[in-house]
Amino acid sequence: MLGFPAERKVNRSFYKLLAGQQPLNYWLRSVACTGSEAHLSMCALEFYKGNATGACQGGMPAVVGCVPGPLFATASAQKQQRRRQGQQIHMTEVRCSGSEKSLWGCQYKNITQDQEGCKHAEDAGVRCNVPYMGYESAVRLVGGRTPFEGRLEVKRAGRWGTVCSTGWGTTEAMVACRQLGLGYAVHAVTETWYWDASNVTEMVLSGVKCAGHEMTLSHCQQHSSATCRKTGPRFAAGVICSETASDLLLHALLVQETAYIEDRPLHMLYCAAEENCLSSSARDANWPYGHRRLLRFSSQIHNYGRADFRPKAGRHSWVWHECHGHYHSMDIFTHYDLLTPNGTQVAEGHKASFCLEDTECEEGVGKRYECANLGEQGITLGCWDLYRHDIDCQWVDITGVKAGNYILQVVINPRYEVAESDFSNNAMKCNCKYDGHRVWVHNCHIGGTLSEEASRRFEQYPGQLNNQIV
């Protein structure tokens, strides 16, 4: 309920002594939880009448000790500093009236290159509170094994009904779990015949299309009247929710530091062609003669969420690729694109998930996932997966691209196959100048981290005139 991942033992004798020295007001008693509830109000409990100071005879106040997560652990300043390496400070002396729609609408001072003495130890933070809006009264889950899963039913015009599962995906499930007050979506379920525990059979909602940030399903796009190609309770939408979720973030500075061009002979690219990591023009090349021009770089993907990042598919459905000798657990894990300043795609290179594993972890965090011997795949909370610049598909095929100014874009989990607590930080962009022989990549940043003014300058970047990148 408080957002901490675990509990620790506390000295209850001190609190029992304290309770005996002063009168206390007791509100609840006989609280019995199963452990899966999101809030104490969901547990079985009894209320005392009024402020019963004489209640709880022979007992004492309930005492808990919470264990902070990795971001707030004791003596974690050095860990946080390492985590923030490469992250730029953009604003200082921020002054808001409270009516602005974003921080960029407030008065602030731009940070220059030397960051004007600002350090990450002075980073600002917030603790947010979402007011109670009663959104959960218009939606419910039925048939699940736990309160966190089941077939989704919504209340429309005073009657309960199901939701059409056509087009039902992760972003829609995220909104449903948020409206239910159950955290984040683990899975968006499109067939719920095994959760048939309700006499509700009418489908009252269809065509649901959410961006993922909405508070309720009613805020999403939807059909004015329910029409579904697959009718019946079997094809009603369902969800599996969780209080925690992963959150992936790309190390933008590493992309900038490791980018270079390689002319790779075609006879060394058969495996990459099998993986569809080359542009479509490669099919017309004179194999095995000639070469492809590749923009290569390393990518380091961190998990800063509150849960491990796991592939959606179980190992029984992973696909074995003989060429590289590993299993693929996700169809597409990242998208690499080269765009013109107006967003037109000129080159594309995608990276299927060769294998998700823990390359390195923060101090005190152990590795859980590795690819060897058909091991479990994923990225542990507090760890990162490193894809070096010298492995297959870690590139954008720029063969035939003309010299000019471009934008290098990297998107993690582009199809939302795996739920995350925040999808807004999954895209990274860099300025990229290509003169036909060399490439300069700079100003790499996570999408949305620049001000509107800086973003406009970024999109209209005229290009470098020399190799002195500032």
Side-chain angles (χ1 to χ4, degrees):
M1 183 177 79
L2 297 175
F4 294 94
E7 65 168 338
R8 60 179 173 83
K9 292 183 178 180
V10 296
N11 183 5
R12 300 179 184 275
S13 300
F14 168 79
Y15 294 95
K16 189 172 184 178
L17 180 63
L18 182 64
Q21 295 177 349
Q22 58 186 17
L24 297 175
N25 295 328
Y26 293 87
W27 291 86
L28 304 177
R29 66 177 179 183
S30 304
V31 181
C33 302
T34 63
S36 60
E37 295 85 356
H39 196 279
L40 278 178
S41 61
M42 301 175 65
C43 303
L45 52 86
E46 296 181 16
F47 284 96
Y48 280 111
K49 295 181 179 180
N51 298 338
T53 56
C56 200
Q57 296 293 335
M60 62 172 287
V63 179
V64 296
C66 299
V67 176
L71 290 176
F72 307 100
T74 304
S76 64
Q78 293 182 351
K79 301 178 188 177
Q80 294 187 34
Q81 185 66 27
R82 288 196 298 271
R83 183 184 299 114
R84 291 166 176 160
Q85 287 178 356
Q87 296 184 11
Q88 185 178 351
I89 301 175
H90 298 284
M91 308 169 71
T92 185
E93 300 181 17
V94 182
R95 295 289 183 272
C96 302
S97 65
S99 60
E100 296 84 359
K101 294 183 178 179
S102 74
L103 284 176
W104 304 119
C106 304
Q107 296 181 9
Y108 65 92
K109 186 176 180 180
N110 280 309
I111 296 292
T112 58
Q113 187 177 5
D114 61 2
Q115 297 193 352
E116 301 183 2
C118 289
K119 300 179 180 179
H120 283 298
E122 303 172 78
D123 285 351
V126 296
R127 181 174 182 178
C128 302
N129 173 60
V130 178
Y132 178 73
M133 304 295 289
Y135 289 139
E136 76 281 1
S137 62
V139 64
R140 66 188 183 190
L141 295 179
V142 298
R145 297 165 297 178
T146 72
F148 283 79
E149 65 176 38
R151 175 183 296 165
L152 189 66
E153 294 182 358
V154 297
K155 195 174 186 179
R156 303 294 295 270
R159 69 183 192 276
W160 289 95
T162 60
V163 180
C164 178
S165 63
T166 302
W168 185 257
T170 301
T171 53
E172 289 74 31
M174 290 286 283
V175 176
C177 290
R178 184 178 300 121
Q179 182 176 356
L180 287 161
L182 299 180
Y184 310 99
V186 178
H187 292 296
V189 184
T190 55
E191 288 194 22
T192 55
W193 52 268
Y194 43 84
W195 284 333
D196 191 10
S198 172
N199 58 0
V200 175
T201 58
E202 182 183 7
M203 198 163 284
V204 297
L205 185 61
S206 65
V208 180
K209 184 69 175 177
C210 303
H213 57 74
E214 297 87 351
M215 293 298 295
T216 78
L217 291 174
S218 62
H219 295 165
C220 304
Q221 298 180 25
Q222 55 193 269
H223 292 159
S224 57
S225 60
T227 56
C228 192
R229 290 187 290 109
K230 296 181 178 180
T231 59
R234 172 179 178 178
F235 299 106
V239 294
I240 301 177
C241 304
S242 173
E243 290 184 279
T244 59
S246 59
D247 184 21
L248 298 186
L249 187 66
L250 180 67
H251 190 337
L253 187 59
L254 183 63
V255 175
Q256 179 173 308
E257 293 174 343
T258 58
Y260 66 96
I261 285 178
E262 177 191 12
D263 289 335
R264 194 163 183 82
L266 284 175
H267 68 84
M268 302 176 67
L269 291 172
Y270 281 104
C271 281
E274 178 185 318
E275 308 262 356
N276 295 318
C277 294
L278 302 175
S279 63
S280 57
S281 63
R283 293 192 292 266
D284 302 324
N286 186 23
W287 293 79
Y289 309 103
H291 67 272
R292 304 296 296 180
R293 176 155 291 186
L294 309 175
L295 171 57
R296 310 196 70 145
F297 50 87
S298 297
S299 62
Q300 185 170 297
I301 299 171
H302 295 246
N303 181 2
Y304 288 145
R306 293 180 57 204
D308 294 353
F309 183 90
R310 299 296 309 278
K312 180 180 180 180
R315 66 166 67 196
H316 63 279
S317 60
W318 295 353
V319 179
W320 172 259
H321 280 250
E322 185 66 33
C323 195
H324 287 131
H326 53 242
Y327 282 90
H328 284 198
S329 58
M330 293 176 65
D331 291 335
I332 300 292
F333 181 48
T334 50
H335 269 165
Y336 302 147
D337 299 295
L338 193 67
L339 313 172
T340 62
N342 65 7
T344 303
Q345 186 184 86
V346 294
E348 175 186 7
H350 82 267
K351 184 184 192 316
S353 174
F354 291 170
C355 147
L356 294 173
E357 67 176 2
D358 298 325
T359 305
E360 295 291 341
C361 298
E362 298 174 2
E363 182 180 350
V365 179
K367 299 180 182 180
R368 297 182 183 177
Y369 307 107
E370 60 179 354
C371 303
N373 303 318
L374 188 55
E376 290 290 344
Q377 294 192 22
I379 305 177
T380 302
L381 169 61
C383 299
W384 58 87
D385 194 359
L386 173 64
Y387 297 95
R388 286 175 49 89
H389 57 83
D390 53 359
I391 66 174
D392 272 356
C393 297
Q394 192 59 38
W395 61 57
V396 177
D397 184 355
I398 62 172
T399 306
V401 173
K402 297 179 180 180
N405 301 310
Y406 299 100
I407 295 173
L408 174 63
Q409 178 175 277
V410 179
V411 182
I412 309 170
N413 192 16
R415 296 181 178 177
Y416 309 110
E417 290 189 33
V418 179
E420 299 182 47
S421 58
D422 185 6
F423 288 116
S424 66
N425 59 4
N426 282 28
M428 183 219 69
K429 296 193 296 183
C430 306
N431 281 126
C432 179
K433 178 176 175 61
Y434 174 51
D435 67 359
H437 306 283
R438 300 165 297 176
V439 67
W440 292 268
V441 175
H442 63 104
N443 201 18
C444 294
H445 65 281
I446 301 300
T449 59
L450 296 184
S451 67
E452 294 181 8
E453 179 184 357
S455 294
R456 286 194 296 269
R457 292 199 305 267
F458 179 90
E459 301 294 343
Q460 298 171 2
Y461 169 67
Q464 292 287 338
L465 301 179
N466 55 53
N467 63 352
Q468 302 300 313
I469 306 299
V470 294

